[in-house]
Amino acid sequence: MSQQTGATRRPNGRYTALRARLESWSALTVCLLGVAASAIVMATGHWRRGAMIFAVSVLLAGLLRAVLPDQLAGVLAVRARWVDSLLLLGLGTFMVIVILTR
């Protein structure tokens, strides 16, 4: 007449679906936090620093798209992995070059 403890219970499908959905948005959330930080820095009048933070956020998005599986990349996964990574890393690199040259 012993009952099973809570440690042997399986999580319900609703919980795992929610967790999967939150995990898929985590990569984009990290990148958007960088974009928000760049907007705050730009609002204080530091345009070059804010633009550099934005460029680093784009580079981070490209790096995350390159290393994360499609399920965790979430909405960063729009096209094929190599296309997304190449475009984001290329754009970020171009932005850094433009920002560093006067």
Side-chain angles (χ1 to χ4, degrees):
M1 294 209 195
S2 66
Q3 292 190 352
Q4 293 181 340
T5 62
T8 59
R9 282 193 246 162
R10 289 187 205 165
N12 62 16
R14 201 180 206 175
Y15 174 75
T16 52
L18 177 64
R19 182 175 177 173
R21 178 170 277 173
L22 289 176
E23 285 176 350
S24 70
W25 281 89
S26 61
L28 181 66
T29 303
V30 169
C31 297
L32 289 178
L33 286 174
V35 172
S38 72
I40 292 169
V41 171
M42 284 185 199
T44 63
H46 300 285
W47 291 96
R48 189 172 300 250
R49 288 180 189 155
M52 185 61 78
I53 294 170
F54 184 81
V56 169
S57 296
V58 173
L59 286 170
L60 178 64
L63 180 67
L64 288 173
R65 179 62 181 118
V67 299
L68 291 176
D70 288 342
Q71 294 82 12
L72 292 179
V75 292
L76 289 179
V78 177
R79 294 163 290 274
R81 179 185 309 233
W82 70 271
V83 175
D84 287 339
S85 300
L86 184 68
L87 288 174
L88 287 167
L89 291 171
L91 178 64
T93 303
F94 178 73
M95 290 172 64
V96 168
I97 291 169
V98 168
I99 292 165
L100 292 178
T101 56
R102 292 181 186 239

